[in-house]
Amino acid sequence: MPRHFGAVPGVVPGMAFVNRQELRDAGVHLPTQAGISGSASEGADSIVLSGGYEDDRDEGDVILYTGEGGRDPLTGHQVKPQQLVRGNLALAISHRDGLPLRVTRGHRHSSQFSPQSGYQYAGLYRVDDHWREVGRSGFLIWRFRLTRLENQDAHHAGADPQHPDSQHPERRPTLVQRIVRDTATARAVKALYDHRCQVCGERLETPAGAYAEAAHIRPLGAPHHGPDVAGNILCLCPNHHVLFDFGAFSVGDDLRLLGLPGRLHVHPQHAVDREHLAYHRRHYALQAGLEWGCSVPLT
Amino acid sequence: MPRHFGAVPGVVPGMAFVNRQELRDAGVHLPTQAGISGSASEGADSIVLSGGYEDDRDEGDVILYTGEGGRDPLTGHQVKPQQLVRGNLALAISHRDGLPLRVTRGHRHSSQFSPQSGYQYAGLYRVDDHWREVGRSGFLIWRFRLTRLENQDAHHAGADPQHPDSQHPERRPTLVQRIVRDTATARAVKALYDHRCQVCGERLETPAGAYAEAAHIRPLGAPHHGPDVAGNILCLCPNHHVLFDFGAFSVGDDLRLLGLPGRLHVHPQHAVDREHLAYHRRHYALQAGLEWGCSVPLT
């Protein structure tokens, strides 16, 4: 049976479950132990927040979720780095593919949204970012930012059992594949490069003019709080923007590319902030290994 | 003075204006005649819906807006094709760059959202698609789909006059540059090509696995209502996805690329629907001129 992504017919946000077996029987979360339900080929379909991770943060509609692995099974302490494998890789694939993720909170998860006892289904979220950082333990952990999908009241969730996909975001008529929202600063950076990619020099020509994307080196918004200033923005083609956001390459302080051959092309009037480059190396770069990130102080 | 994009401090959605001069004085819409305020270099910052276009459609949060040009100034009838220049090009640039657009309705605009008299500011929208089609007149027109931005109640709009950008979408902490939401069908198409672009063969390698995008040939949702089936999906790299969505190239019935050299690579198990290709040529393709679109019957 293929893995089921999205809402379970009849299960509405707020619904309570006594234990993990009930969650399994309802089809919400099949593993009775693991917090992440998913596979490295299909992506993750569900998680249960059980309070095991010291670095989790839960603001209701936005959840910072810590990946799995590297913990001592007896003490629960992080004793080695987490890797981008199994459940963590599954969540990364859900990010890449924009898959909906069922989220359930357990009573041991410490947040104002947690139930007093048992488990409570919270609804569908999407994974809209993932990166690595050093957790309180001193070991690398993987973080996933989950954002709650809109329009999932009880009415929607149970409305159409014939079409369990009916509340998936891709079914909404206003689906937008690509939302690029530029500030004046972002536009200025792109103009400086005449919409040429700082990595490959590509300039996409469209009937609406040249197209490039403003890539924030240290991402905007919580938890990164990167500033929307020129020193934190690169002008990239969409391909290199994806590769950069996913950590397939990064940039050294000397502007050499890490993970790709070559150097970042930088205009004399564009002061790329080395601290933000270091932030990106620490949190997103993967392929060249730990030496990219951990030889510099952590902030 | 640079063109002002976004909310005008003190002007909240629902606010009424007696005439175009008042709209100008308030800084909402500077031209007193033209429906589109913008330039072909900066983008469009504001439009006024005045009911001049027979093909406009207004559903409140989603507006199908017709571009300007080609009308007889005396009769108001469309007498020649519209071109992607001036205000139309400005709106296309707002689409490309994700700029916020102020929208005002006049009393002659026929919709249930129009004021009884004068003008009423409707709020900020984004241009999330643009394409061409043959209007009721038989001449080509440009269409723009405008979607109302969220979170602009009166409180937000007037809350922070020191930061007129404070309600722009890019200021919201949950800014997401790229939202890709795949259905199972989209994932299957991408798997069929092993995430290689059907145009260039590129396969983007990321730590989360290969990355490609599912491009709908005939777009999903109103007003296109393209189906989410394999025959309507191409597996493209982000660069070619942007170029395709913006009509920089299209695909002929013989799978030859139009606007780019070469042919679309198609897997034997992938039946690309020729009707959807024709729809894309008609509505999005531009560079090769009208012969792409108008030699086939219109639907």
Side-chain angles (χ1 to χ4, degrees), chain A residues 132 249-250 258-259 281 285-296:
Chain A
R132 64 177 195 179
F249 76 95
S250 194
L258 303 166
R281 292 196 298 275
L286 180 70
Q287 293 189 337
L290 301 189
E291 72 273 17
W292 290 11
C294 292
S295 61
V296 291

Side-chain angles (χ1 to χ4, degrees), chain A residues 96 177-179 187 210, chain B residues 96 99 177-179 210 213:
Chain A
R96 184 191 65 180
Q177 278 261 3
R178 182 186 308 277
I179 298 178
R187 292 198 297 280
Chain B
R96 185 191 63 178
L99 299 171
Q177 279 260 4
R178 182 187 308 276
I179 298 179
E213 294 183 356

Side-chain angles (χ1 to χ4, degrees), chain B residues 118-254:
Chain B
Y119 295 85
Q120 187 175 32
Y121 176 63
L124 295 180
Y125 286 66
R126 65 181 153 80
V127 184
D128 64 17
D129 201 2
H130 75 278
W131 66 92
R132 64 177 194 180
E133 62 188 39
V134 174
R136 293 185 202 173
S137 62
F139 291 101
L140 276 184
I141 56 174
W142 282 95
R143 309 303 303 275
F144 301 88
R145 189 177 57 202
L146 316 176
T147 303
R148 195 165 192 277
L149 297 176
E150 294 159 22
N151 300 331
Q152 358 167 21
D153 55 33
H155 175 72
H156 279 89
D160 194 355
Q162 296 307 304
H163 294 91
D165 273 0
S166 62
Q167 70 161 291
H168 287 197
E170 63 270 20
R171 298 296 182 182
R172 290 166 56 199
T174 55
L175 170 70
V176 175
Q177 279 260 4
R178 182 187 308 276
I179 298 179
V180 177
R181 292 165 179 164
D182 281 353
T183 59
T185 309
R187 292 198 298 279
V189 170
K190 295 197 293 189
L192 192 63
Y193 291 93
D194 196 21
H195 293 81
R196 284 190 190 282
C197 175
Q198 289 183 249
V199 169
C200 66
E202 181 87 18
R203 184 173 188 274
L204 298 187
E205 308 288 348
T206 86
Y211 181 95
E213 294 183 356
H216 286 86
I217 301 170
R218 178 176 182 146
L220 298 177
H224 308 293
H225 301 295
D228 186 36
V229 298
N232 190 35
I233 293 174
L234 299 178
C235 174
L236 298 179
C237 72
N239 281 3
H240 281 113
H241 192 178
V242 165
L243 292 172
F244 187 73
D245 280 359
F246 277 82
F249 76 94
S250 195
V251 181
D253 281 343
D254 58 0

Side-chain angles (χ1 to χ4, degrees), chain B residues 244-266:
Chain B
F244 187 73
D245 280 359
F246 277 82
F249 76 94
S250 195
V251 181
D253 281 343
D254 58 0
L255 303 180
R256 263 190 293 197
L257 302 178
L258 303 166
L260 287 178
R263 282 172 65 84
L264 189 74
H265 172 71
V266 177

Side-chain angles (χ1 to χ4, degrees), chain A:
Chain A
M1 204 177 72
R3 189 170 295 278
H4 174 68
F5 291 94
V8 174
V11 176
V12 298
M15 195 172 275
F17 298 86
V18 172
N19 53 36
R20 292 284 296 258
Q21 185 61 45
E22 271 200 10
L23 271 178
R24 176 184 169 83
D25 293 344
V28 173
H29 189 89
L30 299 189
T32 52
Q33 294 288 328
I36 304 172
S37 168
S39 80
S41 58
E42 301 163 294
D45 61 298
S46 170
I47 61 168
V48 173
L49 299 166
S50 291
Y53 290 94
E54 59 199 4
D55 298 290
D56 279 352
R57 210 162 77 205
D58 188 345
E59 293 164 2
D61 286 351
V62 178
I63 297 171
L64 292 186
Y65 182 72
T66 303
E68 65 183 16
R71 297 198 306 159
D72 183 299
L74 292 178
T75 66
H77 292 145
Q78 200 76 32
V79 292
K80 52 184 183 177
Q82 295 184 345
Q83 295 185 281
L84 196 59
V85 296
R86 292 190 302 278
N88 300 343
L89 183 55
L91 283 167
I93 284 166
S94 291
H95 172 208
R96 184 191 65 180
D97 294 345
L99 299 172
L101 180 76
R102 293 185 296 278
V103 173
T104 302
R105 292 186 180 91
H107 66 280
R108 283 194 304 248
H109 170 68
S110 84
S111 87
Q112 57 174 304
F113 309 101
S114 308
Q116 293 292 320
S117 64
Y119 295 85
Q120 187 175 32
Y121 176 62
L124 294 180
Y125 285 66
R126 66 182 154 79
V127 184
D128 64 18
D129 202 2
H130 74 278
W131 66 91
R132 64 177 195 179
E133 63 189 36
V134 174
R136 294 183 201 175
S137 62
F139 291 101
L140 277 184
I141 56 174
W142 282 95
R143 308 304 302 277
F144 300 88
R145 189 176 58 202
L146 317 176
T147 304
R148 194 166 192 277
L149 298 176
E150 293 159 22
N151 300 332
Q152 352 167 27
D153 54 32
H155 175 71
H156 279 90
D160 194 354
Q162 296 308 304
H163 294 89
D165 274 0
S166 62
Q167 71 161 292
H168 287 196
E170 63 268 21
R171 298 295 183 183
R172 291 165 55 198
T174 55
L175 170 70
V176 175
Q177 278 261 3
R178 182 186 308 277
I179 298 178
V180 177
R181 292 164 179 166
D182 280 354
T183 59
T185 309
R187 292 198 297 280
V189 171
K190 296 197 291 188
L192 192 62
Y193 291 93
D194 196 23
H195 293 82
R196 283 190 190 283
C197 175
Q198 288 183 251
V199 168
C200 65
E202 181 87 20
R203 185 175 187 272
L204 297 188
E205 309 288 348
T206 85
Y211 181 95
E213 294 183 358
H216 286 85
I217 301 170
R218 179 177 180 144
L220 299 176
H224 308 292
H225 301 297
D228 186 35
V229 298
N232 191 35
I233 292 175
L234 300 178
C235 174
L236 298 179
C237 72
N239 281 3
H240 282 113
H241 193 178
V242 165
L243 292 172
F244 187 72
D245 280 359
F246 277 82
F249 76 95
S250 194
V251 181
D253 281 343
D254 58 0
L255 302 180
R256 263 190 292 198
L257 301 179
L258 303 166
L260 287 178
R263 281 173 64 85
L264 189 75
H265 172 71
V266 176
H267 191 281
Q269 287 168 36
H270 187 199
V272 175
D273 192 318
R274 298 318 197 252
E275 281 187 35
H276 299 319
L277 290 180
Y279 189 95
H280 184 269
R281 292 196 298 275
R282 276 201 302 284
H283 292 82
Y284 290 90
L286 180 70
Q287 293 189 337
L290 301 189
E291 72 273 17
W292 290 11
C294 292
S295 61
V296 291
L298 293 159
T299 55

